Amino acid sequence: MEDLLKPLKTTTTSHLEYADGNLTKANSNDSTGTTYSGAINCSEDAIDALRSKPNPELLDRVLRWLNPKSAQDGRFNINSPGPQATQIIHLLVNDIIPTYWKFLRGKNDPSQSRRQLLIVRCLSSIAGIGAVTAQLRSFLALKDESQSKSNTDKSAKMQPIEDLLEVLDNILKKDSLITTIWKDISSSIVKTSQNVLLWKEFLYLVATGRILSLAAEANRTLNEISPSIIDESWLGNGNSYTAWLGRNIENMIDFLQNEDVAARKALARCVSKALSLGYTDQIIGAACSKLLQGEDLLLMKYRKLMHDITPHEQRVSLYALLRVLSRRCISASEAPKNNIEYQSGAGAIGGAGALITGLIYDNPNLQDDLIDWLSGVSANGIGQGHNLHRAVIAALSSDEDRMKRILQKSLDLFGDKLYIKHTPILHQEINAQVLLMTAGYVHRGGAAHLSELARSSTYLNAISNRLNASSQQARFLGMVVGAAFSELVDSKDKRMIFSAEEVNSPEGQWYQNLTQLHDQVGLISDLRPVVSTKKTNAGTSRTPAKTANLLKAPVKPATTSKIISIEEVDSTESDDEDLVIHEKPDSDESDEDEDPTLIQRDKPTAPVYIRDLIAGLRDTENYDRHQLSLSTASSLIRRKASFGTEVSDHIEELATLLVGLSDKYEMEKFQELRLQGMIAVLHAQPLKMGQWFSKTFYNGDYSMGQRASVLTTLGMGARELAGFRTEDAALTGAEAVSVNPFPSRKLPDKLHKIYALEAAPMDSLAKNLERTIIQPMAIEAADNLTGPNALKVRTFSSRMEVEKKRKKAIPNELAKIVADGFFFPLTGRWRIHMQAYGENNVHFSPFLLTLFLKTLSLILHASGASTLSLPQMTAEFWDLLLSLRSHAVNDVTVLEALLFAFLTLLDINENKQRIAEEHAKELLETQGWVEQVFERMEGGAKEGERVRMLAAGVLVRTREVVEKYQRLLLGDLADFM
């Protein structure tokens, strides 16, 4: 039988055996290979040693000889480009890492950690990074072959991907990698052309998203195998990777010498490639971190770098720096317009002005870009905060000619009729603020120019167009600008005075006092206190609950012995009378466990302070504490909202935690509990947090599901402020006051979840509102078909029955703040993102666009027909809806949401005459488009019938207005046709 068994192939195996998690040397008789036993004196010896399947001792000798830090002049350096270095890197990536890296991971042995570090050093080059990425790409391409195999086979297939990703993570984790690579290229190669080619190859690997996409795919692949065990690599996260890239750019800026032209050009190429990744704010924020912390030593190098890149990249970098500056160093919240003496943040404004002045000095392109940022129609400066506009104007205040240009452009835009009618009011308010602040600077520089401008036809037409506008807020801006200009250029007996109440209100006085602002450019070091305060607050909020309680524990006085009195005790009384009878304690479920070692006695308690709640929400490793904090978040926030400043001090931190919270443990009712907490945060400070949630929906780095939850919070929170909390409680899972307390009227829990909570909250509310609007129209149409009213029998109800059915009036708190806190921030920033990104952004996806339209419709309906800002909200909403008609052609869900928004808009405006007078063209245009939709949409299907029903409701509402005010609409109808 032995003659029948002949060897077909002989394989050389490694001299390593893995037993019990430790590396042990195998017997040499068990292997057919031979180990290299010579000395390592040259690169050929290192190649022979690596090819011979080295043992740990030989590998350690080879790696120590290859260590780039020990390479001297004339000695072989593996980080220098060359054929021998390429062969060694190939052996390290293909042979050594698959064999050794798994055993070197997570060991406490210093020798193994040293080998791991030496491997990373040897691969810290262009060839090393390229070889690791190429090998990782090849393994990812083969991952589909393991889809049909068992989990054990899949884990074995994924092990090389995990090893290579960890190696790449260790290579790139240093913030000085780009600087080190440039030093190696410039020191090893003399020819400039070769330097340029190697640098372009390196930038192709690092700065173009090649590694980012590979790492993201590797993270997704590894998570499919073991999502709870393997941590995701930061290389696959766009924010983390681009922040690392920005820190490397900052490190290279610090390394640059003024006379090193080649290094400056190389850095400019790196910045250009990095800006193309799409994470501009993250890159600029990390690359300018020292400047934002108040260090001005590198300001000259940053200024030269701005000259080295293209004008377009200069503008993109400058606008990104302004956004980061607004978030980190200057309060980006809206100015409190009810405070006339608002002058806070002067030090930060002066520091920001100094930083901007230093960057744009001797650069006309950047100075012109700042003018467009302030007064252009692109709206790049909208939503960045009032204090940042003050800083930018202060930075340009020394240039009188450019200040006059800003004043003229702002005034031209301020008086344009189309701008007044179709631009969101948020844009118009910022434009008015810039106009008034610039007018104050120009007047202090020379009153003659402003006096001449105030008597020009441009100014007179602007004020006239504003006063003739249909929007109340547009007229208000015209009055405050006219009064402010007249106060600057006219004498007291000739000043323009408006008797309207809003002009003399705190907001009106705040606008008029903007001409008196005179911010001085300070020092960049003035930015430090603001940054350090934010860090201190963040660190304080992360204090553990137990430590915080210990810090605030009352100090007990020292115990001393003191005899107060001596009383005689009556011994005849029974001792049992003083004993308190206690009830039998409830049984604990954990006591039923037979194994006493499994009983958990240290169970978490419900948080009673906001800081404890924040700590519990952050503690995602402790399931019990995390789940208890989430379940009690809503009640605790509502209870603490009107008690002290605990909620107001941490409200933005709470909102950020709840919005970004992920369901790590697949908790029951996780989405409902999270939504209740977000609504409670919004209800605590509606005006401030309404603006915050609106800004987060556009600017936050969140997923589509998290953005949808933000919109749901705005819609449900607005309805709660309007008095609809009881009706909406079942949709959010909140406890509502039951009309019928008997449990027999409620389905079992399982069926209740299926039928009562079937649809999403916003969709359910939209359907209920749609039914409420259309049902009266259907009843009226059916009533008209039954005959004339004279032949119908009318029944009369008693007064008691009528009073019983009448609903009690509920105060609508939403009507006071709906415009500034909810509606205008959403519609205004929609226009900003539309101009900045076009239709290729996440907000134009059918899912978010549908939810966005329904949210605005529900907010508008909840505000009520008597809201003072209803005309302006109607104008902005109607323009937005008409601009979205082309997006509803190919998607039924968007079409349905758009028709629902039209129906809500027409239903909430009870003053039909005002619609006919102010929105005649929009009305006729809407009617014509909806008629085409009704004729084109075929019935039969459920979606088609629903769309036709909504279209019919819109046509009924529009025709009611057209038929009643035909004479008024005749002129507009002729223009429209």
Side-chain angles (χ1 to χ4, degrees), residues 870-927:
L870 181 61
Q872 180 63 29
M873 291 192 297
T874 300
E876 287 200 15
F877 197 27
W878 215 326
D879 287 342
L880 188 146
L881 295 178
L882 291 175
S883 65
L884 293 175
R885 288 174 294 176
S886 60
H887 299 276
V889 176
N890 299 323
D891 196 288
V892 179
T893 58
V894 178
L895 179 61
E896 179 184 334
L898 191 60
L899 291 173
F900 170 73
F902 276 123
L903 183 61
T904 307
L905 181 69
L906 294 170
D907 182 77
I908 199 65
N909 284 273
E910 297 178 353
N911 189 354
K912 307 301 181 184
Q913 183 177 358
R914 182 178 57 82
I915 293 180
E917 291 176 352
E918 300 178 2
H919 304 286
K921 292 183 178 180
E922 291 85 350
L923 179 66
L924 296 174
E925 192 172 352
T926 302
Q927 182 181 6

Coordinates of all heavy atoms in Angstrom, one line a residue, residues 870-927:
L870 N -48.7 84.9 8.3 CA -49.3 84.0 7.3 C -49.1 84.5 5.9 O -48.8 83.7 5.0 CB -50.7 83.7 7.6 CG -51.4 82.7 6.6 CD1 -50.8 81.3 6.6 CD2 -52.9 82.6 6.9
P871 N -49.3 85.8 5.6 CA -49.1 86.2 4.2 C -47.7 86.0 3.7 O -47.5 85.6 2.5 CB -49.4 87.7 4.3 CG -50.3 87.9 5.4 CD -49.9 86.8 6.4
Q872 N -46.6 86.3 4.5 CA -45.3 86.1 4.1 C -44.9 84.6 3.9 O -44.3 84.2 3.0 CB -44.3 86.8 5.1 CG -42.8 86.6 4.7 CD -42.5 87.3 3.4 OE1 -43.1 88.3 3.0 NE2 -41.5 86.8 2.7
M873 N -45.4 83.8 4.9 CA -45.2 82.3 4.7 C -45.9 81.8 3.5 O -45.4 80.9 2.8 CB -45.7 81.6 6.0 CG -44.9 81.9 7.2 SD -45.3 80.8 8.6 CE -47.0 81.2 8.9
T874 N -47.1 82.3 3.2 CA -47.8 81.9 2.0 C -47.0 82.2 0.7 O -46.9 81.4 -0.2 CB -49.2 82.5 1.9 OG1 -49.9 82.1 3.1 CG2 -49.9 82.1 0.7
A875 N -46.4 83.4 0.7 CA -45.7 83.8 -0.5 C -44.5 82.9 -0.7 O -44.2 82.4 -1.8 CB -45.3 85.3 -0.4
E876 N -43.7 82.7 0.4 CA -42.5 81.9 0.2 C -42.8 80.4 -0.1 O -42.1 79.8 -0.9 CB -41.7 82.0 1.5 CG -41.0 83.3 1.7 CD -39.8 83.2 2.7 OE1 -39.4 82.1 3.0 OE2 -39.4 84.3 3.1
F877 N -43.8 79.9 0.6 CA -44.2 78.5 0.3 C -44.7 78.3 -1.1 O -44.4 77.3 -1.7 CB -45.2 78.1 1.4 CG -45.4 76.6 1.5 CD1 -44.3 75.7 1.3 CD2 -46.5 76.0 2.0 CE1 -44.4 74.4 1.4 CE2 -46.7 74.7 2.1 CZ -45.6 73.8 1.8
W878 N -45.5 79.2 -1.6 CA -46.0 79.1 -2.9 C -44.9 79.1 -4.0 O -44.9 78.3 -4.9 CB -47.0 80.2 -3.2 CG -48.2 79.7 -4.1 CD1 -48.1 78.8 -5.1 CD2 -49.5 80.2 -4.0 NE1 -49.4 78.7 -5.6 CE2 -50.2 79.5 -5.0 CE3 -50.2 81.1 -3.2 CZ2 -51.6 79.7 -5.2 CZ3 -51.6 81.3 -3.4 CH2 -52.3 80.6 -4.4
D879 N -44.0 80.0 -3.8 CA -42.8 80.0 -4.7 C -42.0 78.7 -4.7 O -41.6 78.2 -5.7 CB -41.9 81.2 -4.4 CG -42.5 82.6 -4.8 OD1 -43.5 82.5 -5.6 OD2 -42.1 83.6 -4.3
L880 N -41.8 78.2 -3.5 CA -41.1 77.0 -3.4 C -41.8 75.8 -4.0 O -41.2 75.0 -4.7 CB -40.8 76.7 -1.9 CG -39.9 75.5 -1.5 CD1 -39.1 75.9 -0.2 CD2 -40.7 74.2 -1.3
L881 N -43.1 75.7 -3.9 CA -43.9 74.7 -4.4 C -43.9 74.7 -6.0 O -43.7 73.7 -6.6 CB -45.3 74.7 -3.9 CG -45.5 74.4 -2.4 CD1 -47.0 74.5 -2.0 CD2 -45.0 73.1 -2.0
L882 N -44.0 75.9 -6.5 CA -44.0 76.1 -8.0 C -42.7 75.7 -8.6 O -42.6 75.2 -9.7 CB -44.4 77.5 -8.4 CG -45.9 77.9 -8.1 CD1 -46.1 79.3 -8.4 CD2 -46.8 77.0 -8.9
S883 N -41.6 75.9 -7.8 CA -40.3 75.6 -8.3 C -40.0 74.1 -8.3 O -39.0 73.6 -8.9 CB -39.2 76.3 -7.5 OG -39.2 75.8 -6.1
L884 N -40.8 73.3 -7.6 CA -40.6 71.9 -7.5 C -41.5 71.0 -8.4 O -41.5 69.8 -8.3 CB -40.8 71.4 -6.0 CG -39.8 71.9 -5.0 CD1 -40.3 71.5 -3.6 CD2 -38.4 71.4 -5.3
R885 N -42.2 71.7 -9.3 CA -43.1 70.9 -10.2 C -42.4 70.0 -11.1 O -42.9 68.9 -11.4 CB -43.9 71.9 -11.0 CG -45.0 72.7 -10.3 CD -45.6 73.7 -11.1 NE -44.7 74.8 -11.5 CZ -45.0 75.8 -12.3 NH1 -46.2 75.9 -12.9 NH2 -44.1 76.7 -12.6
S886 N -41.2 70.3 -11.5 CA -40.4 69.4 -12.4 C -40.0 68.2 -11.7 O -39.8 67.1 -12.3 CB -39.2 70.2 -13.0 OG -38.4 70.6 -12.0
H887 N -39.8 68.2 -10.4 CA -39.3 67.1 -9.6 C -40.4 66.1 -9.4 O -40.1 64.9 -9.0 CB -38.7 67.5 -8.3 CG -37.5 68.4 -8.4 ND1 -36.2 67.9 -8.6 CD2 -37.4 69.8 -8.4 CE1 -35.4 69.0 -8.7 NE2 -36.1 70.1 -8.6
A888 N -41.7 66.5 -9.6 CA -42.8 65.6 -9.3 C -43.3 64.8 -10.5 O -44.2 64.1 -10.4 CB -44.0 66.5 -8.7
V889 N -42.6 65.0 -11.6 CA -43.0 64.4 -12.9 C -42.8 62.9 -12.8 O -43.6 62.1 -13.2 CB -42.3 65.0 -14.1 CG1 -42.7 64.3 -15.3 CG2 -42.7 66.5 -14.2
N890 N -41.6 62.5 -12.3 CA -41.2 61.1 -12.4 C -41.3 60.3 -11.1 O -41.0 59.2 -11.0 CB -39.7 61.0 -12.8 CG -39.5 61.6 -14.2 OD1 -40.3 61.5 -15.1 ND2 -38.4 62.3 -14.4
D891 N -41.9 61.0 -10.1 CA -42.0 60.3 -8.8 C -43.4 60.6 -8.2 O -43.8 61.8 -8.0 CB -40.9 60.8 -7.8 CG -40.8 59.9 -6.6 OD1 -41.7 59.9 -5.7 OD2 -39.8 59.2 -6.5
V892 N -44.2 59.5 -8.0 CA -45.5 59.7 -7.5 C -45.6 60.2 -6.1 O -46.5 61.0 -5.7 CB -46.3 58.4 -7.6 CG1 -47.7 58.5 -7.1 CG2 -46.3 57.9 -9.0
T893 N -44.6 59.8 -5.2 CA -44.7 60.2 -3.8 C -44.4 61.7 -3.7 O -45.1 62.4 -2.9 CB -43.6 59.5 -3.0 OG1 -42.3 59.7 -3.6 CG2 -43.9 58.0 -3.0
V894 N -43.5 62.3 -4.5 CA -43.2 63.7 -4.5 C -44.5 64.5 -5.1 O -44.8 65.5 -4.5 CB -42.0 64.0 -5.3 CG1 -41.7 65.5 -5.4 CG2 -40.8 63.3 -4.7
L895 N -45.1 63.9 -6.1 CA -46.3 64.5 -6.7 C -47.4 64.6 -5.6 O -48.1 65.6 -5.5 CB -46.7 63.8 -7.9 CG -48.0 64.3 -8.6 CD1 -47.8 65.7 -9.1 CD2 -48.3 63.3 -9.8
E896 N -47.6 63.5 -4.9 CA -48.6 63.4 -3.9 C -48.3 64.5 -2.8 O -49.2 65.2 -2.3 CB -48.6 62.0 -3.3 CG -49.7 61.9 -2.2 CD -49.6 60.5 -1.6 OE1 -49.2 59.5 -2.3 OE2 -50.0 60.3 -0.4
A897 N -47.1 64.6 -2.3 CA -46.7 65.5 -1.3 C -46.9 67.0 -1.8 O -47.3 67.9 -1.0 CB -45.3 65.3 -0.8
L898 N -46.6 67.2 -3.1 CA -46.7 68.6 -3.6 C -48.2 69.0 -3.7 O -48.5 70.1 -3.4 CB -46.1 68.6 -5.0 CG -45.9 69.9 -5.6 CD1 -45.0 70.8 -4.8 CD2 -45.2 69.8 -7.0
L899 N -49.0 68.1 -4.1 CA -50.5 68.4 -4.2 C -51.0 68.6 -2.8 O -51.9 69.4 -2.6 CB -51.2 67.2 -4.9 CG -50.9 67.1 -6.4 CD1 -51.6 65.8 -7.0 CD2 -51.4 68.3 -7.2
F900 N -50.6 67.8 -1.8 CA -51.0 68.0 -0.4 C -50.6 69.3 0.1 O -51.4 70.0 0.8 CB -50.5 66.8 0.4 CG -50.7 67.0 1.9 CD1 -51.9 66.9 2.5 CD2 -49.6 67.4 2.7 CE1 -52.1 67.1 3.8 CE2 -49.8 67.6 4.1 CZ -51.1 67.4 4.6
A901 N -49.4 69.8 -0.3 CA -49.0 71.1 0.2 C -49.8 72.2 -0.5 O -50.2 73.2 0.2 CB -47.5 71.3 -0.2
F902 N -50.1 72.1 -1.8 CA -51.0 73.1 -2.4 C -52.4 73.1 -1.7 O -52.9 74.2 -1.5 CB -51.2 72.7 -3.9 CG -50.1 73.3 -4.8 CD1 -49.3 72.4 -5.6 CD2 -49.8 74.6 -4.8 CE1 -48.3 72.9 -6.4 CE2 -48.8 75.1 -5.6 CZ -48.0 74.2 -6.4
L903 N -52.9 71.9 -1.4 CA -54.2 71.9 -0.8 C -54.2 72.5 0.6 O -55.1 73.3 1.0 CB -54.7 70.4 -0.7 CG -56.1 70.1 -0.1 CD1 -57.1 70.8 -1.0 CD2 -56.3 68.6 0.0
T904 N -53.2 72.2 1.4 CA -53.1 72.8 2.7 C -52.9 74.3 2.6 O -53.5 75.1 3.4 CB -51.9 72.2 3.5 OG1 -52.0 70.8 3.5 CG2 -51.8 72.7 4.9
L905 N -52.1 74.8 1.7 CA -51.9 76.2 1.5 C -53.2 77.0 1.2 O -53.5 78.0 1.7 CB -50.8 76.4 0.4 CG -50.4 77.9 0.1 CD1 -49.6 78.5 1.2 CD2 -49.6 77.9 -1.2
L906 N -54.0 76.4 0.3 CA -55.2 77.1 -0.1 C -56.3 77.0 1.0 O -57.1 77.8 1.1 CB -55.7 76.4 -1.4 CG -54.9 76.6 -2.6 CD1 -55.4 75.8 -3.8 CD2 -54.9 78.1 -3.0
D907 N -56.2 75.9 1.8 CA -57.2 75.7 2.9 C -57.0 76.6 4.0 O -57.9 77.2 4.6 CB -57.2 74.3 3.3 CG -58.3 74.0 4.3 OD1 -59.5 73.9 4.0 OD2 -57.9 73.9 5.5
I908 N -55.7 76.9 4.4 CA -55.4 77.6 5.6 C -55.6 79.1 5.3 O -55.8 79.9 6.3 CB -53.9 77.4 6.0 CG1 -53.7 77.8 7.5 CG2 -53.0 78.1 5.1 CD1 -54.5 77.0 8.5
N909 N -55.5 79.6 4.1 CA -55.8 81.0 3.8 C -57.3 81.2 3.6 O -57.8 81.0 2.5 CB -55.0 81.4 2.5 CG -53.5 81.6 2.8 OD1 -53.0 82.6 3.1 ND2 -52.7 80.5 2.6
E910 N -57.9 81.6 4.6 CA -59.4 81.8 4.6 C -59.7 83.1 3.9 O -60.9 83.3 3.4 CB -59.9 81.8 6.0 CG -59.7 80.5 6.7 CD -60.3 80.5 8.1 OE1 -60.7 81.6 8.6 OE2 -60.3 79.5 8.8
N911 N -58.8 84.1 3.8 CA -59.1 85.4 3.1 C -58.8 85.1 1.6 O -57.7 85.4 1.2 CB -58.2 86.4 3.7 CG -58.6 87.8 3.2 OD1 -59.4 88.0 2.3 ND2 -57.9 88.8 3.7
K912 N -59.8 84.7 0.9 CA -59.7 84.4 -0.5 C -59.4 85.7 -1.3 O -58.8 85.6 -2.4 CB -60.9 83.7 -1.0 CG -61.3 82.5 -0.2 CD -60.2 81.4 -0.2 CE -60.6 80.2 0.6 NZ -59.5 79.2 0.8
Q913 N -59.9 86.8 -0.9 CA -59.7 88.0 -1.6 C -58.3 88.4 -1.6 O -57.7 88.9 -2.6 CB -60.6 89.2 -1.0 CG -60.5 90.5 -1.8 CD -61.4 91.6 -1.2 OE1 -62.1 91.3 -0.2 NE2 -61.3 92.8 -1.8
R914 N -57.6 88.2 -0.5 CA -56.2 88.6 -0.5 C -55.4 87.7 -1.4 O -54.4 88.1 -2.1 CB -55.6 88.4 1.0 CG -54.2 88.7 1.1 CD -53.7 88.6 2.6 NE -54.0 87.3 3.1 CZ -53.1 86.2 2.8 NH1 -52.1 86.4 2.1 NH2 -53.4 85.1 3.3
I915 N -55.8 86.4 -1.5 CA -55.1 85.5 -2.5 C -55.3 86.0 -3.9 O -54.4 86.0 -4.7 CB -55.7 84.1 -2.3 CG1 -55.3 83.5 -1.0 CG2 -55.2 83.2 -3.5 CD1 -55.8 82.1 -0.8
A916 N -56.5 86.4 -4.2 CA -56.8 86.9 -5.6 C -56.0 88.2 -5.9 O -55.6 88.5 -7.0 CB -58.3 87.2 -5.7
E917 N -55.8 89.1 -4.9 CA -55.2 90.3 -5.1 C -53.6 90.2 -5.1 O -53.0 90.8 -6.0 CB -55.5 91.3 -4.0 CG -57.0 91.7 -4.0 CD -57.3 92.6 -2.8 OE1 -56.5 92.7 -1.9 OE2 -58.5 93.2 -2.8
E918 N -53.1 89.4 -4.2 CA -51.6 89.3 -4.1 C -51.0 88.1 -4.8 O -49.8 88.2 -5.1 CB -51.2 89.3 -2.6 CG -51.7 90.5 -1.8 CD -51.4 90.4 -0.4 OE1 -50.7 89.4 0.0 OE2 -51.8 91.3 0.4
H919 N -51.7 87.1 -5.1 CA -51.1 85.9 -5.7 C -52.0 85.4 -6.9 O -52.2 84.2 -7.0 CB -51.1 84.7 -4.6 CG -50.3 85.1 -3.4 ND1 -49.0 85.2 -3.3 CD2 -50.8 85.4 -2.1 CE1 -48.6 85.6 -2.1 NE2 -49.7 85.7 -1.4
A920 N -52.4 86.3 -7.7 CA -53.2 86.0 -8.8 C -52.5 85.1 -9.8 O -53.0 84.1 -10.3 CB -53.7 87.2 -9.5
K921 N -51.3 85.5 -10.2 CA -50.5 84.7 -11.1 C -50.2 83.3 -10.6 O -50.3 82.3 -11.3 CB -49.2 85.4 -11.5 CG -49.4 86.7 -12.3 CD -48.1 87.3 -12.7 CE -48.4 88.6 -13.5 NZ -47.1 89.3 -13.9
E922 N -49.8 83.2 -9.3 CA -49.5 81.9 -8.7 C -50.7 81.0 -8.7 O -50.7 79.8 -8.9 CB -49.0 82.1 -7.3 CG -47.6 82.7 -7.2 CD -47.6 84.2 -7.2 OE1 -48.7 84.8 -7.5 OE2 -46.5 84.8 -7.0
L923 N -51.9 81.6 -8.4 CA -53.1 80.9 -8.4 C -53.5 80.3 -9.7 O -53.8 79.1 -9.9 CB -54.3 81.8 -7.9 CG -55.7 81.2 -7.8 CD1 -55.7 80.1 -6.7 CD2 -56.7 82.2 -7.5
L924 N -53.4 81.1 -10.8 CA -53.8 80.7 -12.1 C -52.7 79.6 -12.6 O -53.1 78.7 -13.3 CB -53.9 81.8 -13.1 CG -55.0 82.9 -12.7 CD1 -54.8 84.1 -13.7 CD2 -56.3 82.2 -12.8
E925 N -51.5 79.8 -12.3 CA -50.4 78.9 -12.7 C -50.6 77.6 -12.0 O -50.5 76.5 -12.6 CB -49.1 79.5 -12.4 CG -47.9 78.7 -13.0 CD -46.6 79.5 -12.9 OE1 -46.6 80.6 -12.4 OE2 -45.6 78.9 -13.2
T926 N -51.0 77.6 -10.7 CA -51.3 76.3 -10.0 C -52.5 75.6 -10.6 O -52.4 74.4 -10.8 CB -51.5 76.7 -8.5 OG1 -50.3 77.3 -8.0 CG2 -51.7 75.4 -7.7
Q927 N -53.5 76.4 -10.9 CA -54.7 75.7 -11.5 C -54.4 75.0 -12.8 O -54.9 73.9 -13.0 CB -55.8 76.8 -11.6 CG -57.1 76.2 -12.1 CD -58.2 77.3 -12.3 OE1 -57.9 78.5 -12.2 NE2 -59.4 76.9 -12.7

